[in-house]
């Protein structure tokens, strides 16, 4: 549905209001003209009957019908600006005493309508007027004189005057409506200018307006808008500066996170190299150290791949194999701590889940490494991944003494020190994937549950 802007609707409303008022005034003028016409016709008929009654009254008093008809015929044949069609003398009981008319008679005398002592009745049927009055006001028993006068010229003049008045009024109304529309638009010019300023520019940014006006109210309005626009521009500049600082901080956190994830495998590799230097001549030690070095290199490769998949555009969707890699990635640290890692996947199968693989794997790896670090030797860390209809549920349960305050603060996105870097990354990734985290304290250890809704891989990238 087409909806006109406010800057057009208000002038249109003013114009329509002017048209309605003009139409009402034209109607009143036409009504006044009609009443003036009726009054003139009534006065004309009464004046005509006054003269005729004076001429016929002696014959009526003598009850001489022949003389009555003679007087009426002479009046019918004489025209002094008024054309009479029918003349009659009628008794108070509506009985005609004398009657003459031009043939063919236009219409019969409406005796049933002659209820008032005197009056006038316009007949559009014959373009005439019926008028009547008593012959003698002091002797109503003598009857009344009735006449039908031709007023077709008056009717034509009234119709022409009505058309002229209507057309002139309509022209004046349209001109006035146009002027009202233009004046309303002129009064709305500051609002229109503000609207255009808000819509101008491809970047939809508010900009101060440089307009000169002599109206103090409009000048005050423009000053208020310019102040608001400058405030918005300042806030946008501050927002861009904060965003730049945030990006730089994020880059630093990414670098710290990558260093944090690489540090553990590098420590194991350094230990294996030292073992080879001291006991490299022994075959069993050499084979064990080389195997450990190979696993460490694979762990580093996995960390690098996870980082690339997390921060590179076009990250892959999550599969069950991505979660299964956690066992390998955390294997070295679990072995050093004497902790067993048990991983279960439910409902994943071979399908791809609508979640970024790198972000989920990085998140789960940090939770598992934190659980391994919190668990005593010989303990079991349980990892469960369940795919629901609309979300992936991750459970990581350790057998430690409880979640430290610093770690809990890091999981909620608070300030962290170096030891809480991994959990801070978890908090960032959960926020990026629009997930939710819940910490459950058990009789022995802690269980961290993460719920990740499907369909947010674009935001996470």
């Amino acid at each position: 549905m087409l909806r006109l802007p406010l800057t057009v609707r208000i002038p249109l409303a003013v114009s329509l209001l002017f048209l309605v008022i003009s139409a009402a005034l034209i109607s009143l003028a036409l009504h006044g003209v009609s009443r003036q016409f009726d009054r003139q016709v009534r006065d004309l008929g009464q004046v005509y009957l006054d003269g005729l009654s004076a001429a016929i009254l002696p014959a009526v008093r003598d009850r001489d019908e022949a003389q009555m008809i003679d007087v009426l015929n002479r009046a019918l044949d004489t025209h002094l600006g008024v054309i009479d069609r029918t003349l009659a003398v009628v008794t108070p009981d509506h009985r005609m005493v004398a009657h003459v008319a031009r043939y063919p008679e236009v219409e019969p005398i409406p005796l049933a309508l002659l209820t008032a002592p005197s009056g006038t009745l316009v007949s559009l049927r014959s373009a005439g007027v019926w008028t009547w009055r008593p012959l003698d006001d002091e002797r109503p028993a003598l009857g009344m004189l009735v006449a039908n006068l031709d007023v077709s010229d008056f009717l034509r003049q009234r119709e022409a005057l009505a058309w002229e008045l209507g057309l002139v009024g309509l022209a004046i109304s349209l001109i006035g409506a146009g002027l009202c529309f233009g004046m309303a638009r002129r009064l709305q010019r500051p609002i229109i200018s503000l609207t255009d300023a808000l819509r101008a520019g491809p970047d939809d940014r508010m900009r101060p307006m440089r307009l000169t006006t002599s109206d103090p109210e409009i000048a005050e309005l423009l000053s208020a808008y310019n102040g608001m626009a400058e405030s918005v521009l300042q806030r946008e500049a501050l927002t861009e500066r904060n965003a730049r600082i945030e990006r730089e901080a994020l880059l630093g956190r990414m670098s710290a996170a990558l260093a944090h994830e690489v540090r553990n495998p590098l420590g194991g590799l350094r230990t294996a190299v030292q073992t080879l230097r001291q006991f490299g001549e022994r075959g069993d030690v050499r084979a064990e150290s080389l195997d450990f070095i190979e696993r460490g290199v694979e762990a580093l490769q996995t960390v690098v791949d996870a980082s690339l998949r997390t921060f590179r555009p076009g990250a892959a969707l999550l599969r069950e194999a991505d979660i299964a890699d956690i066992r390998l990635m955390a294997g070295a640290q679990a072995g050093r701590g004497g902790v067993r890692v048990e991983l279960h996947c439910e409902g994943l199968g071979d399908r791809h889940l609508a979640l970024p693989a790198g972000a989920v794997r990085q998140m789960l790896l940090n939770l598992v490494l934190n659980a391994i670090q919190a668990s005593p030797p010989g303990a079991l860390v349980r990892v469960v991944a369940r795919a629901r209809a609309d979300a992936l549920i991750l459970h990581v349960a350790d057998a430690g003494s409880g979640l430290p305050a610093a770690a809990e603060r890091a999981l909620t996105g608070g300030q962290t020190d170096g030891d809480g870097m991994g959990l801070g990354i978890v908090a960032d990734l959960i926020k990026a994937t629009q997930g939710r985290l819940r910490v459950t304290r058990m009789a022995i250890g802690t269980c961290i549950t993460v719920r990740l809704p499907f369909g947010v891989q674009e935001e996470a990238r």
Side-chain angles (χ1 to χ4, degrees):
M1 180 178 179
L2 179 62
R3 184 178 179 86
L4 296 175
L6 186 63
T7 53
V8 176
R9 280 182 285 158
I10 292 179
L12 282 180
V14 175
S15 301
L16 290 177
L17 180 61
F18 183 86
L19 288 176
V20 171
I21 296 175
S22 300
L25 293 177
I26 293 173
S27 299
L28 291 176
L30 291 175
H31 181 67
V33 170
S34 178
R35 292 182 59 183
Q36 180 70 18
F37 169 80
D38 294 340
R39 186 164 53 250
Q40 290 178 352
V41 169
R42 183 177 66 250
D43 294 343
L44 177 65
Q46 294 299 314
V47 170
Y48 176 82
L49 291 181
D50 283 344
L52 183 59
S53 62
I56 201 173
L57 185 58
V60 174
R61 287 174 179 172
D62 297 337
R63 300 185 183 276
D64 188 348
E65 295 184 7
Q67 187 179 358
M68 293 183 203
I69 293 176
D70 182 62
V71 172
L72 295 178
N73 281 325
R74 287 200 307 270
L76 200 66
D77 294 334
T78 303
H79 304 296
L80 297 176
V82 178
I83 301 176
D84 41 10
R85 295 170 173 172
T86 302
L87 299 173
V89 178
V90 181
T91 62
D93 57 354
H94 293 174
R95 183 175 57 85
M96 283 191 297
V97 178
H99 174 237
V100 296
R102 295 183 183 276
Y103 295 99
E105 188 176 2
V106 178
E107 60 177 319
I109 300 175
L111 297 175
L113 301 178
L114 308 180
T115 56
S118 63
T120 302
L121 177 64
V122 178
S123 174
L124 297 178
R125 169 186 171 186
S126 60
V129 59
W130 288 101
T131 181
W132 66 94
R133 59 152 293 165
L135 288 167
D136 190 348
D137 294 332
E138 297 179 356
R139 300 176 63 186
L142 292 178
M144 64 180 69
L145 189 60
V146 180
N148 181 276
L149 307 178
D150 185 1
V151 292
S152 56
D153 289 338
F154 284 92
L155 292 176
R156 283 193 296 270
Q157 291 176 9
R158 183 178 71 167
E159 184 178 1
L161 181 61
W163 275 102
E164 183 180 354
L165 182 60
L167 292 176
V168 172
L170 179 60
I172 294 176
S173 300
L174 294 176
I175 295 174
L179 292 176
C180 288
F181 184 87
M183 292 178 62
R185 290 280 291 182
R186 183 178 180 84
L187 293 175
Q188 284 187 310
R189 183 176 298 174
I191 299 178
I192 297 174
S193 300
L194 290 177
T195 304
D196 295 340
L198 291 173
R199 293 176 178 174
D203 52 356
D204 295 332
R205 299 180 65 183
M206 297 181 62
R207 292 180 175 83
M209 297 176 56
R210 306 304 178 199
L211 296 179
T212 57
T213 177
S214 58
D215 192 332
E217 294 183 358
I218 297 178
E220 184 178 356
L221 177 62
L222 293 176
S223 177
Y225 168 79
N226 289 335
M228 181 178 63
E230 291 175 357
S231 299
V232 170
L233 292 177
Q234 292 176 1
R235 284 196 297 270
E236 289 179 352
L238 182 60
T239 301
E240 292 177 357
R241 178 174 176 273
N242 291 338
R244 184 173 63 255
I245 295 175
E246 182 65 22
R247 287 194 298 269
E248 294 174 355
L250 178 60
L251 181 60
R253 295 179 65 181
M254 290 170 53
S255 302
L258 185 60
H260 175 78
E261 298 302 327
V262 172
R263 182 178 58 184
N264 293 330
L266 286 179
L269 291 175
R270 186 167 54 250
T271 302
V273 171
Q274 293 176 356
T275 303
L276 282 176
R277 287 177 178 175
Q278 294 180 5
F279 307 100
E281 69 279 358
R282 295 172 51 182
D284 55 344
V285 174
R286 185 170 59 254
E288 182 180 1
S289 298
L290 291 175
D291 292 340
F292 189 82
I293 291 174
E294 184 178 3
R295 290 195 301 270
V297 172
E298 292 177 353
L300 289 174
Q301 182 65 42
T302 304
V303 171
V304 173
D305 292 342
S307 300
L308 288 176
R309 292 182 182 179
T310 301
F311 302 107
R312 183 181 57 193
L317 298 178
L318 183 67
R319 300 175 303 167
E320 182 176 353
D322 297 317
I323 297 178
D325 288 344
I326 300 300
R327 184 184 293 106
L328 176 62
M329 296 167 65
Q333 185 167 341
R336 289 196 302 270
V339 177
R340 293 181 295 114
V341 178
E342 189 175 284
L343 189 145
H344 299 279
C345 295
E346 300 178 6
L348 276 73
D350 295 333
R351 63 181 179 136
H352 290 75
L353 303 181
L355 287 170
V360 175
R361 184 161 54 182
Q362 186 78 4
M363 180 193 314
L364 186 58
L365 175 62
N366 284 301
L367 290 176
V368 172
L369 292 178
N370 185 75
I372 293 173
Q373 185 177 358
S375 300
L380 175 64
V381 173
R382 291 179 56 84
V383 182
V384 179
R386 293 190 178 95
R388 302 298 188 189
D390 58 345
L392 174 67
I393 311 298
L394 301 175
H395 302 279
V396 178
D398 60 42
S401 57
L403 191 66
E408 187 170 359
R409 186 169 59 253
L411 282 175
T412 57
Q415 294 293 331
T416 62
D417 51 19
D419 295 334
M421 181 65 69
L423 295 181
I425 295 173
V426 171
D428 292 341
L429 292 176
I430 291 176
K431 181 180 179 180
T433 53
Q434 301 179 12
R436 290 183 298 176
L437 181 140
R438 185 178 72 250
V439 178
T440 305
R441 292 175 175 81
M442 302 182 296
I444 299 177
T446 304
C447 180
I448 297 178
T449 303
V450 178
R451 184 183 186 277
L452 303 175
F454 293 147
V456 294
Q457 62 269 23
E458 292 299 329
E459 290 83 356
R461 291 174 192 173

